[in-house]
Each structure stands twice: as structure tokens, then as C-alpha cells.
């Protein structure tokens, strides 16, 4: 018998907060929001949490929950939370299976270029003699599954020859910095605005036997003067445009630059922004995403 049931609700953006608060007040163990109309939200402004116009809300409850009582009480609680109008409710039984094992089974070793593999800790590396980066999903963004991360990893596999000083602005999980070091870079400076990302980077570097003196991590305001041989930044178009002078300053004359987190239609604007400091290359694309690169003038 299943241990959980879930209440599925179709709502408009203006109804989401009231629905979420009502579900939690009625004993939901968790509440999940999903896009209900294939509406992308590609680059929200900083400090905002935009919602889809049509949102699917899923409240998870214990299987012993009195579902009829919840259905009866929900409209009253929804109205008490400021909800306007009505919403459709649908109870579903949650499949009973080993969710941890199911999740682990979906995350497999991935290859990026001729040399580099990213492997979860519970899998045997397919090529033990290759450059194998051990990384499990965790606190911060970046496991190699997203096209922008994959593009950056392939760039590093191609351009790291040995002995480079590398900067990763927006280091997230530390995946790009660790890949650079394992491929032969001498040092890595990771920079991120999120303290959790710095923690994740340190933990992941330790798991890969990378000495702390080879991989230093900083908040942006504490970053020391660096002249990198290669600078990578996998963030978003808006921040990349704003950071152009800073990323140029971090890169030595003749040094390399790789930028991702960009949709294909955003590439021209970012290239134009960086032309002042870099000779830019033709973008490379994977699905709807691109990486742009260049050489410091």
C-alpha cells in the first residue's frame, strides 16, 4: 500500500500563494509548483520569483489523510488565505517505490570531450584511466546534465593543456573548476555570490582529493587580484553583460574566455558587449543554448 496521496490543483498565478498556504495549513507534508502550460521562464530578474500563468500545485499528504475532509475544508481555507475564485482538486495515489534508488538510477556517468568523465559516487567509472570527476547532485547548481555546463566542460577538455591558472565566476558546485584542475590546470579561483556554493565547492573538491591551496573560493567582494589564463562563467546573459569589465580585468592579455548560460538569441548582444576586450569566436550551440569564447586583446 502507498505511504502517500497527493492533491493536484490547477490554478492561476494569482491563486498560487493562497493554494500553497491552504495546503500547508491542512497538513500537507510538501507543496510542489509546476508549469501547467509549457510556459518558459528563462531569465527572471534578480530578487524575483515569477510564476507561470497556469500553475499545477501538488500537495503531498500521508496515506491515512481523511481526503474527503480536506476537500470540504480546502475552499474555506483558500478563502481565508485571500484566494479568489475556485480551483479544481484531484486526489491521486503516489506510486510506492524506492524513490532514492529510482533517482540514483537516472544519474549516470557522462563524458565531455576525449578525456573527461563526470561520475556519481555510486557508479564505477567506465574508463578508470580517464579524467574522472566524482560529483553527486547537492547544494549548488552544476552536475553536467544541463547543456550550458556540458558546453563549458567540453571547452575545458579542449583548452586545458597543463599549468593554467583558471577563474570560474559563478562556480556553483565547483564542477568547472574541479574539471580544470583534474585536466591539468595549476590553480583555480572559484567565485560565487552564494555562500552555499562555496561550501559545496570545497566539499566536492575534497571528495576529488584536490588540495585546498589549488582551489580557492571567494565571494565577489573578497576576490583577490587574479590574471587568469582561462576565465569561465556559466551564469545568465544579464549578469554576463554587467560583469564584462570585471571578467576582462580577471583575464590576462592573451588569455582565454568562455561564457555560457546563454540562449542562442542572446549570443550576439553578449559578443558585442565583450568585443571591447576580447577577440570573440563563433558561438557553439547545444539544443537552444550556446557557449561563446574569445581571446583577451
Amino acid at each position: 500500500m502507498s505511504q502517500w496521496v497527493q492533491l493536484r490543483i490547477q490554478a492561476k498565478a494569482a491563486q498560487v500563494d493562497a493554494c500553497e498556504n491552504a495546503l500547508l495549513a491542512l497538513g500537507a507534508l510538501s507543496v510542489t509548483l509546476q508549469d501547467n502550460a509549457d510556459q518558459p521562464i528563462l531569465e527572471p530578474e534578480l530578487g524575483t520569483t515569477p510564476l507561470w500563468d497556469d500553475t499545477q500545485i501538488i500537495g503531498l499528504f500521508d496515506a491515512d489523510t481523511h481526503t474527503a475532509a480536506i476537500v470540504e475544508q480546502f475552499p474555506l481555507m483558500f478563502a481565508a488565505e485571500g484566494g479568489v475564485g475556485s480551483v479544481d482538486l484531484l486526489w491521486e495515489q503516489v506510486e510506492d517505490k524506492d524513490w532514492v534508488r529510482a533517482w540514483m538510477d537516472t544519474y549516470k556517468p557522462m563524458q565531455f570531450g576525449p578525456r573527461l568523465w563526470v561520475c556519481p559516487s555510486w557508479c564505477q567509472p567506465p574508463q578508470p584511466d580517464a579524467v574522472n570527476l566524482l560529483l553527486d547532485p547537492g547544494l549548488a547548481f552544476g552536475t553536467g546534465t544541463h547543456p550550458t555546463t556540458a558546453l563549458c566542460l567540453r571547452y575545458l577538455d579542449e583548452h586545458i593543456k597543463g599549468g593554467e591558472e583558471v577563474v570560474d565566476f559563478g562556480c556553483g558546485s565547483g564542477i568547472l573548476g574541479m574539471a580544470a584542475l583534474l585536466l591539468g590546470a595549476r590553480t583555480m579561483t572559484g567565485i560565487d555570490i552564494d555562500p552555499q556554493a562555496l561550501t559545496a565547492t570545497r566539499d566536492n573538491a575534497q571528495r576529488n582529493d584536490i588540495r585546498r591551496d589549488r582551489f580557492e573560493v571567494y565571494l565577489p567582494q573578497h576576490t583577490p587580484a587574479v590574471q587568469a589564463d582561462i576565465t569561465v562563467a556559466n551564469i545568465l546573459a544579464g549578469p554576463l553583460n554587467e560583469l564584462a569589465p570585471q571578467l576582462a580585468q580577471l583575464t590576462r592579455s592573451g588569455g582565454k574566455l568562455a561564457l555560457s548560460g546563454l540562449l542562442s538569441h542572446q549570443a550576439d548582444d553578449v559578443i558585442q558587449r565583450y568585443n571591447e576586450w576580447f577577440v570573440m569566436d563563433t558561438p557553439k550551440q547545444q539544443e537552444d543554448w550556446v557557449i561563446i569564447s574569445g581571446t583577451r586583446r
Side-chain angles (χ1 to χ4, degrees), residues 61-215:
F61 290 82
D62 186 273
D64 295 332
T65 298
H66 192 328
T67 56
I70 297 293
V71 170
E72 181 179 347
Q73 296 168 18
F74 182 86
L76 301 175
M77 192 63 68
F78 175 67
E81 293 290 342
V84 177
S86 61
V87 293
D88 294 328
L89 309 180
L90 175 66
W91 282 105
E92 298 174 334
Q93 191 172 38
V94 179
E95 182 183 356
D96 191 16
K97 63 180 181 180
D98 186 343
W99 291 101
V100 173
R101 174 53 56 187
W103 169 76
M104 291 172 67
D105 287 344
T106 66
Y107 188 45
K108 302 293 186 182
M110 296 168 286
Q111 186 174 16
F112 303 95
R115 297 181 289 167
L116 178 65
W117 285 80
V118 176
C119 304
S121 60
W122 54 83
C123 289
Q124 184 70 23
Q127 295 182 13
D129 295 333
V131 176
N132 289 298
L133 169 56
L134 301 180
L135 185 68
D136 298 341
L139 283 175
F141 176 82
T143 60
T145 56
H146 195 274
T148 60
T149 310
L151 287 163
C152 290
L153 290 169
R154 282 195 286 270
Y155 178 90
L156 292 171
D157 184 90
E158 179 181 354
H159 288 88
I160 295 291
K161 307 301 181 185
E164 293 89 353
E165 184 169 352
V166 180
V167 165
D168 179 12
F169 204 107
C171 58
S173 66
I175 184 172
L176 300 182
M178 290 184 295
L181 291 171
L182 294 174
L183 286 164
R186 180 173 58 86
T187 61
M188 180 73 192
T189 301
I191 305 164
D192 206 291
I193 62 173
D194 185 356
Q196 280 196 328
L198 306 188
T199 298
T201 294
R202 292 190 186 102
D203 291 347
N204 288 325
Q206 184 177 19
R207 184 176 295 124
N208 283 273
D209 296 323
I210 295 171
R211 298 196 319 268
R212 191 160 180 168
D213 63 336
R214 295 185 64 210
F215 198 147

Side-chain angles (χ1 to χ4, degrees), residues 48 63 85 88 119 128 140 142 160 165 179 218 224 231 248 252 280:
T48 66
D88 294 328
C119 304
I160 295 291
E165 184 169 352
Y218 302 93
T231 299
R252 69 165 178 81
M280 301 301 290

Side-chain angles (χ1 to χ4, degrees), residues 4-15:
W4 301 286
V5 292
Q6 61 187 22
L7 182 58
R8 191 179 295 270
I9 303 172
Q10 317 296 334
K12 298 298 182 183
Q15 298 173 310

Side-chain angles (χ1 to χ4, degrees), residues 198-256:
L198 306 188
T199 298
T201 294
R202 292 190 186 102
D203 291 347
N204 288 325
Q206 184 177 19
R207 184 176 295 124
N208 283 273
D209 296 323
I210 295 171
R211 298 196 319 268
R212 191 160 180 168
D213 63 336
R214 295 185 64 210
F215 198 147
E216 300 288 348
V217 292
Y218 302 93
L219 295 169
Q221 63 270 28
H222 299 148
T223 303
V226 178
Q227 286 285 279
D229 299 298
I230 297 178
T231 299
V232 292
N234 182 21
I235 38 182
L236 294 170
L240 284 175
N241 281 332
E242 294 174 12
L243 289 166
Q246 188 172 352
L247 295 182
Q249 188 175 14
L250 289 168
T251 310
R252 69 165 178 81
S253 176
K256 301 293 186 181

